[in-house]
Amino acid sequence: MGEPNTAAQPSQEFEKVLVNSSTQVASFDTHDKTAVQKIQHFLHSTPAAVPFIVLIAAILIFGIAIGGKFFSSYTLTLILQQTAIVGILGAAQTLVILTAGIDLSIGVIMVLSAVIMGNCAVTYGLPAPIAIFIGFVVGGACGFLNGFLVSRVKLPPFIVTLGTWYVIMSTNFIYSANATIREADVTAVTQMLHLFGVSFKVGSAVFTLGVVMMVVLVFGLWYALNHTAWGRHLYAVGDDPEAAKLSGIRTSRVLLSAYTLAGLIAALAAWVSIGRNGSISPSAAVTDYNLQAITAAVIGGISLFGGRGSILGTLIGAMIVGVVSMGLNMLGADPQWKVFLTGVLIITAVAIDQWIRKVAG
């Protein structure tokens, strides 16, 4: 008799339980997505898509309602000029919101920096470059204070920046005695503070250096956020700070850098605002620059929960508000309609963000 064939039999006792087990290889579910799911995934991967669509729709609606005058290069570039300050402040606010924080003091940091620049140049007679540098130091210091309290002392960003809003605003009024520095006084000393108010033509379109600065800043930050380790770390901290810390990211350092850079950008907005407005008024601290910056970011698709959004969307968000404001003005509508529509846009933007976030959930 020959030897029994044992080639197909288990060689070990514990392998006998595997004889009748399934031999199918695991595979991913490849069923086709519905049209709604495809849209949801597209919007999740392209955060600036929604605000861009809204911007185009707003331009078309007001263009049809007003006529060719709205589509003129003068009108469209005037909108850009009017959104330059808010666009720059919105970029600063975006960096903070991406970390799942918020900076309620960003507007008063801008005003204090402008007041410092003006007084250093006009009142103290310092050279304009030094005056501007001191303004940037003040803006950066305010941002650093916010970042230190949030990242090191571990205080909630909302409470910290609400407190510093009061502190910086009162400092602004105490230091300046609420005295406005007139445009003529600034011009008599230096033209450098009005640099970003200089305009130039491209065909029939009129641009200012402030608009150019806004665009350069936004695209520079877009590159930093998407193509540098710092940018990836910023998104990671906003998305899940504990996971970011476990992966080796120094979350405190990232938070500190975000708030400090936001303060420096607010100082840049101060320089642009001097060129735009001419005079330097401490009372500008009571305006709603903070809310306008947050509005531009939220309408632009930046998630208030952190870790999602494109800074290009913030620029588009600022332009949406500018288009709505200009369109309503040209139609002769009650200014309160701008406030009403802005509120609707904010609520809609947050609702869409929640819907899109279900993809990542």
Side-chain angles (χ1 to χ4, degrees):
M1 292 179 63
E3 294 292 329
N5 182 13
T6 59
Q9 299 300 317
S11 59
Q12 300 291 336
E13 185 68 23
F14 68 84
E15 291 179 337
K16 292 180 180 180
V17 297
L18 302 177
V19 173
N20 297 322
S21 62
S22 173
T23 58
Q24 286 185 325
V25 178
S27 60
F28 292 102
D29 185 4
T30 57
H31 70 278
D32 292 335
K33 296 184 178 67
T34 65
V36 172
Q37 288 175 323
K38 289 179 180 179
I39 294 173
Q40 199 173 17
H41 277 270
F42 170 74
L43 297 179
H44 183 267
S45 60
T46 315
V50 172
F52 181 75
I53 293 170
V54 173
L55 175 63
I56 296 301
I59 292 175
L60 290 175
I61 290 171
F62 284 113
I64 293 171
I66 296 170
K69 184 180 179 181
F70 187 80
F71 288 112
S72 70
S73 57
Y74 174 79
T75 300
L76 296 178
T77 52
L78 182 58
I79 292 172
L80 283 175
Q81 293 176 37
Q82 293 177 342
T83 59
I85 299 172
V86 174
I88 293 173
L89 283 179
Q93 189 69 253
T94 297
L95 298 179
V96 176
I97 294 178
L98 285 175
T99 66
I102 198 163
D103 190 348
L104 300 177
S105 66
I106 201 76
V108 291
I109 292 175
M110 180 195 77
V111 176
L112 178 61
S113 298
V115 168
I116 293 291
M117 290 178 187
N119 276 281
C120 285
V122 177
T123 306
Y124 309 141
L126 296 176
I130 296 178
I132 293 168
F133 174 76
I134 294 174
F136 272 89
V137 170
V138 169
C142 292
F144 180 86
L145 175 62
N146 286 333
F148 178 82
L149 293 174
V150 170
S151 65
R152 306 293 185 182
V153 187
K154 306 298 182 182
L155 298 179
F158 182 89
I159 300 301
V160 166
T161 57
L162 178 62
T164 55
W165 176 72
Y166 280 109
V167 170
I168 296 169
M169 183 170 63
S170 59
T171 301
N172 165 59
F173 288 128
I174 293 170
Y175 168 74
S176 65
N178 202 18
T180 298
I181 302 175
R182 298 179 305 168
E183 180 178 2
D185 294 333
V186 176
T187 305
V189 174
T190 177
Q191 291 287 347
M192 191 171 181
L193 286 177
H194 288 149
L195 173 66
F196 290 111
V198 175
S199 61
F200 61 94
K201 281 190 173 184
V202 178
S204 58
V206 181
F207 296 92
T208 63
L209 292 182
V211 172
V212 175
M213 186 70 256
M214 174 183 68
V215 174
V216 169
L217 172 70
V218 169
F219 277 93
L221 289 175
W222 174 85
Y223 179 85
L225 289 170
N226 291 278
H227 298 284
T228 68
W230 175 80
R232 291 190 292 271
H233 291 173
L234 195 74
Y235 276 102
V237 169
D239 187 53
D240 191 334
E242 291 303 319
K245 185 180 294 185
L246 291 174
S247 66
I249 297 174
R250 296 182 177 181
T251 56
S252 294
R253 181 176 293 184
V254 172
L255 287 171
L256 189 61
S257 67
Y259 281 90
T260 303
L261 183 55
L264 290 170
I265 295 173
L268 175 62
W271 190 4
V272 173
S273 72
I274 297 173
R276 171 70 182 166
N277 301 324
S279 61
I280 303 171
S281 175
S283 61
V286 300
T287 57
D288 58 348
Y289 280 120
N290 298 324
L291 292 179
Q292 289 178 30
I294 295 171
T295 298
V298 172
I299 293 177
I302 305 298
S303 174
L304 288 172
F305 300 96
R308 202 190 77 82
S310 170
I311 197 165
L312 296 180
T314 299
L315 175 59
I316 297 172
M319 292 174 63
I320 290 172
V321 176
V323 167
V324 170
S325 178
M326 176 66 74
L328 292 176
N329 288 341
M330 295 179 73
L331 287 172
D334 189 319
Q336 293 306 316
W337 279 109
K338 173 192 170 184
V339 179
F340 176 85
L341 290 176
T342 301
V344 171
L345 287 172
I346 291 173
I347 295 171
T348 304
V350 174
I352 292 174
D353 174 63
Q354 290 281 66
W355 179 67
I356 294 174
R357 285 179 70 88
K358 291 180 181 178
V359 173

